[in-house]
mmCIF file of all heavy atoms in Angstrom:
data_model
loop_
_atom_site.group_PDB
_atom_site.id
_atom_site.type_symbol
_atom_site.label_atom_id
_atom_site.label_comp_id
_atom_site.label_asym_id
_atom_site.label_seq_id
_atom_site.Cartn_x
_atom_site.Cartn_y
_atom_site.Cartn_z
ATOM 1 N N HIS A 1013 -28.689 41.599 -4.348
ATOM 2 C CA HIS A 1013 -28.112 42.095 -3.103
ATOM 3 C C HIS A 1013 -27.155 41.054 -2.525
ATOM 4 O O HIS A 1013 -26.889 40.000 -3.144
ATOM 5 C CB HIS A 1013 -29.206 42.444 -2.108
ATOM 6 C CG HIS A 1013 -30.199 41.344 -1.858
ATOM 7 N ND1 HIS A 1013 -29.867 40.190 -1.190
ATOM 8 C CD2 HIS A 1013 -31.529 41.245 -2.170
ATOM 9 C CE1 HIS A 1013 -30.915 39.424 -1.084
ATOM 10 N NE2 HIS A 1013 -31.948 40.013 -1.674
ATOM 11 N N CYS A 1014 -26.633 41.341 -1.337
ATOM 12 C CA CYS A 1014 -25.509 40.557 -0.788
ATOM 13 C C CYS A 1014 -25.835 39.083 -0.592
ATOM 14 O O CYS A 1014 -24.947 38.228 -0.754
ATOM 15 C CB CYS A 1014 -25.069 41.150 0.558
ATOM 16 S SG CYS A 1014 -26.366 41.286 1.791
ATOM 17 N N GLU A 1015 -27.095 38.738 -0.305
ATOM 18 C CA GLU A 1015 -27.422 37.333 -0.078
ATOM 19 C C GLU A 1015 -27.340 36.525 -1.384
ATOM 20 O O GLU A 1015 -27.016 35.339 -1.363
ATOM 21 C CB GLU A 1015 -28.792 37.198 0.564
ATOM 22 C CG GLU A 1015 -28.821 37.661 2.008
ATOM 23 C CD GLU A 1015 -30.088 37.287 2.737
ATOM 24 O OE1 GLU A 1015 -31.109 37.081 2.046
ATOM 25 O OE2 GLU A 1015 -30.066 37.204 3.983
ATOM 26 N N TYR A 1016 -27.606 37.157 -2.503
ATOM 27 C CA TYR A 1016 -27.424 36.485 -3.784
ATOM 28 C C TYR A 1016 -25.938 36.178 -4.017
ATOM 29 O O TYR A 1016 -25.564 35.084 -4.432
ATOM 30 C CB TYR A 1016 -27.965 37.341 -4.939
ATOM 31 C CG TYR A 1016 -29.465 37.319 -5.089
ATOM 32 C CD1 TYR A 1016 -30.243 38.351 -4.575
ATOM 33 C CD2 TYR A 1016 -30.113 36.276 -5.740
ATOM 34 C CE1 TYR A 1016 -31.615 38.349 -4.697
ATOM 35 C CE2 TYR A 1016 -31.497 36.258 -5.886
ATOM 36 C CZ TYR A 1016 -32.236 37.309 -5.350
ATOM 37 O OH TYR A 1016 -33.594 37.299 -5.474
ATOM 38 N N PHE A 1017 -25.084 37.165 -3.754
ATOM 39 C CA PHE A 1017 -23.666 36.998 -3.986
ATOM 40 C C PHE A 1017 -23.062 35.949 -3.048
ATOM 41 O O PHE A 1017 -22.280 35.085 -3.486
ATOM 42 C CB PHE A 1017 -22.929 38.334 -3.816
ATOM 43 C CG PHE A 1017 -23.149 39.278 -4.953
ATOM 44 C CD1 PHE A 1017 -24.180 40.228 -4.919
ATOM 45 C CD2 PHE A 1017 -22.318 39.257 -6.061
ATOM 46 C CE1 PHE A 1017 -24.375 41.100 -5.970
ATOM 47 C CE2 PHE A 1017 -22.495 40.134 -7.127
ATOM 48 C CZ PHE A 1017 -23.549 41.053 -7.080
ATOM 49 N N SER A 1018 -23.391 36.016 -1.769
ATOM 50 C CA SER A 1018 -22.837 35.052 -0.815
ATOM 51 C C SER A 1018 -23.314 33.630 -1.104
ATOM 52 O O SER A 1018 -22.549 32.669 -1.043
ATOM 53 C CB SER A 1018 -23.160 35.466 0.606
ATOM 54 O OG SER A 1018 -24.552 35.535 0.821
ATOM 55 N N THR A 1019 -24.609 33.503 -1.432
ATOM 56 C CA THR A 1019 -25.141 32.171 -1.758
ATOM 57 C C THR A 1019 -24.479 31.615 -3.013
ATOM 58 O O THR A 1019 -24.105 30.439 -3.059
ATOM 59 C CB THR A 1019 -26.662 32.247 -1.951
ATOM 60 O OG1 THR A 1019 -27.261 32.747 -0.758
ATOM 61 C CG2 THR A 1019 -27.251 30.878 -2.266
ATOM 62 N N ALA A 1020 -24.329 32.464 -4.031
ATOM 63 C CA ALA A 1020 -23.708 32.010 -5.275
ATOM 64 C C ALA A 1020 -22.275 31.534 -5.016
ATOM 65 O O ALA A 1020 -21.887 30.458 -5.487
ATOM 66 C CB ALA A 1020 -23.698 33.145 -6.285
ATOM 67 N N MET A 1021 -21.487 32.276 -4.248
ATOM 68 C CA MET A 1021 -20.117 31.897 -3.988
ATOM 69 C C MET A 1021 -20.023 30.590 -3.198
ATOM 70 O O MET A 1021 -19.210 29.709 -3.515
ATOM 71 C CB MET A 1021 -19.382 33.009 -3.262
ATOM 72 C CG MET A 1021 -17.918 32.671 -2.984
ATOM 73 S SD MET A 1021 -16.994 34.070 -2.286
ATOM 74 C CE MET A 1021 -15.371 33.296 -2.049
ATOM 75 N N ALA A 1022 -20.864 30.447 -2.160
ATOM 76 C CA ALA A 1022 -20.831 29.245 -1.354
ATOM 77 C C ALA A 1022 -21.186 28.007 -2.196
ATOM 78 O O ALA A 1022 -20.508 26.977 -2.088
ATOM 79 C CB ALA A 1022 -21.782 29.381 -0.169
ATOM 80 N N VAL A 1023 -22.228 28.102 -2.997
ATOM 81 C CA VAL A 1023 -22.620 26.959 -3.825
ATOM 82 C C VAL A 1023 -21.559 26.637 -4.883
ATOM 83 O O VAL A 1023 -21.193 25.470 -5.098
ATOM 84 C CB VAL A 1023 -23.986 27.221 -4.501
ATOM 85 C CG1 VAL A 1023 -24.292 26.158 -5.542
ATOM 86 C CG2 VAL A 1023 -25.089 27.294 -3.450
ATOM 87 N N MET A 1024 -20.997 27.659 -5.519
ATOM 88 C CA MET A 1024 -19.983 27.441 -6.519
ATOM 89 C C MET A 1024 -18.741 26.781 -5.926
ATOM 90 O O MET A 1024 -18.143 25.876 -6.530
ATOM 91 C CB MET A 1024 -19.623 28.762 -7.198
ATOM 92 C CG MET A 1024 -20.776 29.332 -8.036
ATOM 93 S SD MET A 1024 -20.537 31.042 -8.559
ATOM 94 C CE MET A 1024 -19.364 30.794 -9.881
ATOM 95 N N LEU A 1025 -18.318 27.205 -4.720
ATOM 96 C CA LEU A 1025 -17.177 26.561 -4.085
ATOM 97 C C LEU A 1025 -17.492 25.113 -3.727
ATOM 98 O O LEU A 1025 -16.639 24.217 -3.891
ATOM 99 C CB LEU A 1025 -16.778 27.342 -2.836
ATOM 100 C CG LEU A 1025 -16.069 28.661 -3.067
ATOM 101 C CD1 LEU A 1025 -15.878 29.430 -1.752
ATOM 102 C CD2 LEU A 1025 -14.680 28.423 -3.692
ATOM 103 N N ARG A 1026 -18.677 24.862 -3.231
ATOM 104 C CA ARG A 1026 -19.047 23.476 -2.871
ATOM 105 C C ARG A 1026 -19.049 22.545 -4.067
ATOM 106 O O ARG A 1026 -18.737 21.360 -3.923
ATOM 107 C CB ARG A 1026 -20.396 23.486 -2.159
ATOM 108 C CG ARG A 1026 -20.378 24.120 -0.767
ATOM 109 C CD ARG A 1026 -21.713 23.971 -0.060
ATOM 110 N NE ARG A 1026 -21.682 24.566 1.269
ATOM 111 C CZ ARG A 1026 -22.643 24.390 2.173
ATOM 112 N NH1 ARG A 1026 -23.680 23.631 1.874
ATOM 113 N NH2 ARG A 1026 -22.545 24.954 3.366
ATOM 114 N N THR A 1027 -19.414 23.075 -5.223
ATOM 115 C CA THR A 1027 -19.391 22.212 -6.421
ATOM 116 C C THR A 1027 -17.989 21.741 -6.746
ATOM 117 O O THR A 1027 -17.799 20.745 -7.463
ATOM 118 C CB THR A 1027 -19.952 22.935 -7.656
ATOM 119 O OG1 THR A 1027 -19.141 24.072 -7.976
ATOM 120 C CG2 THR A 1027 -21.395 23.399 -7.422
ATOM 121 N N HIS A 1028 -16.962 22.434 -6.213
ATOM 122 C CA HIS A 1028 -15.574 22.052 -6.457
ATOM 123 C C HIS A 1028 -14.870 21.559 -5.182
ATOM 124 O O HIS A 1028 -13.649 21.662 -5.064
ATOM 125 C CB HIS A 1028 -14.819 23.228 -7.079
ATOM 126 C CG HIS A 1028 -15.102 23.399 -8.527
ATOM 127 N ND1 HIS A 1028 -16.338 23.788 -9.003
ATOM 128 C CD2 HIS A 1028 -14.341 23.160 -9.641
ATOM 129 C CE1 HIS A 1028 -16.317 23.831 -10.317
ATOM 130 N NE2 HIS A 1028 -15.104 23.438 -10.741
ATOM 131 N N GLY A 1029 -15.675 21.068 -4.254
ATOM 132 C CA GLY A 1029 -15.117 20.425 -3.067
ATOM 133 C C GLY A 1029 -14.488 21.316 -2.044
ATOM 134 O O GLY A 1029 -13.633 20.884 -1.276
ATOM 135 N N VAL A 1030 -14.880 22.584 -2.001
ATOM 136 C CA VAL A 1030 -14.350 23.523 -1.019
ATOM 137 C C VAL A 1030 -15.449 23.774 0.014
ATOM 138 O O VAL A 1030 -16.550 24.260 -0.334
ATOM 139 C CB VAL A 1030 -13.893 24.847 -1.674
ATOM 140 C CG1 VAL A 1030 -13.390 25.799 -0.609
ATOM 141 C CG2 VAL A 1030 -12.833 24.567 -2.738
ATOM 142 N N ALA A 1031 -15.156 23.515 1.280
ATOM 143 C CA ALA A 1031 -16.144 23.698 2.349
ATOM 144 C C ALA A 1031 -16.389 25.185 2.590
ATOM 145 O O ALA A 1031 -15.447 25.926 2.865
ATOM 146 C CB ALA A 1031 -15.648 23.028 3.636
ATOM 147 N N ALA A 1032 -17.640 25.597 2.481
ATOM 148 C CA ALA A 1032 -17.991 27.015 2.633
ATOM 149 C C ALA A 1032 -19.339 27.147 3.306
ATOM 150 O O ALA A 1032 -20.172 26.244 3.267
ATOM 151 C CB ALA A 1032 -18.001 27.701 1.267
ATOM 152 N N ARG A 1033 -19.536 28.317 3.952
ATOM 153 C CA ARG A 1033 -20.804 28.590 4.579
ATOM 154 C C ARG A 1033 -21.165 30.059 4.399
ATOM 155 O O ARG A 1033 -20.275 30.903 4.219
ATOM 156 C CB ARG A 1033 -20.796 28.236 6.055
ATOM 157 C CG ARG A 1033 -19.865 29.096 6.918
ATOM 158 C CD ARG A 1033 -19.808 28.596 8.349
ATOM 159 N NE ARG A 1033 -18.940 29.422 9.199
ATOM 160 C CZ ARG A 1033 -18.622 29.144 10.454
ATOM 161 N NH1 ARG A 1033 -19.113 28.042 11.033
ATOM 162 N NH2 ARG A 1033 -17.838 29.941 11.169
ATOM 163 N N VAL A 1034 -22.451 30.367 4.449
ATOM 164 C CA VAL A 1034 -22.951 31.750 4.362
ATOM 165 C C VAL A 1034 -23.123 32.312 5.766
ATOM 166 O O VAL A 1034 -23.652 31.631 6.656
ATOM 167 C CB VAL A 1034 -24.286 31.802 3.594
ATOM 168 C CG1 VAL A 1034 -24.893 33.214 3.605
ATOM 169 C CG2 VAL A 1034 -24.077 31.351 2.136
ATOM 170 N N VAL A 1035 -22.665 33.530 5.969
ATOM 171 C CA VAL A 1035 -22.763 34.181 7.284
ATOM 172 C C VAL A 1035 -23.606 35.447 7.145
ATOM 173 O O VAL A 1035 -23.383 36.240 6.223
ATOM 174 C CB VAL A 1035 -21.351 34.565 7.815
ATOM 175 C CG1 VAL A 1035 -21.490 35.160 9.204
ATOM 176 C CG2 VAL A 1035 -20.452 33.343 7.836
ATOM 177 N N ASN A 1036 -24.555 35.609 8.035
ATOM 178 C CA ASN A 1036 -25.342 36.837 8.119
ATOM 179 C C ASN A 1036 -24.950 37.640 9.333
ATOM 180 O O ASN A 1036 -24.802 37.077 10.430
ATOM 181 C CB ASN A 1036 -26.840 36.524 8.184
ATOM 182 C CG ASN A 1036 -27.363 35.981 6.874
ATOM 183 O OD1 ASN A 1036 -26.949 36.403 5.798
ATOM 184 N ND2 ASN A 1036 -28.255 34.997 6.953
ATOM 185 N N GLY A 1037 -24.754 38.920 9.155
ATOM 186 C CA GLY A 1037 -24.398 39.780 10.281
ATOM 187 C C GLY A 1037 -24.460 41.233 9.899
ATOM 188 O O GLY A 1037 -25.381 41.630 9.160
#
């Protein structure tokens, strides 16, 4: 579900030095 996708993207971006956060709404 959506939390898996958002968490995956945020972590993957952070591994490459891109500041990201997960938002719930």
Side-chain angles (χ1 to χ4, degrees):
H1013 54 68
C1014 57
E1015 289 191 337
Y1016 282 98
F1017 285 92
S1018 60
T1019 302
M1021 181 173 178
V1023 170
M1024 292 168 77
L1025 285 173
R1026 290 185 179 191
T1027 63
H1028 282 68
V1030 179
R1033 66 185 181 187
V1034 174
V1035 183
N1036 289 322

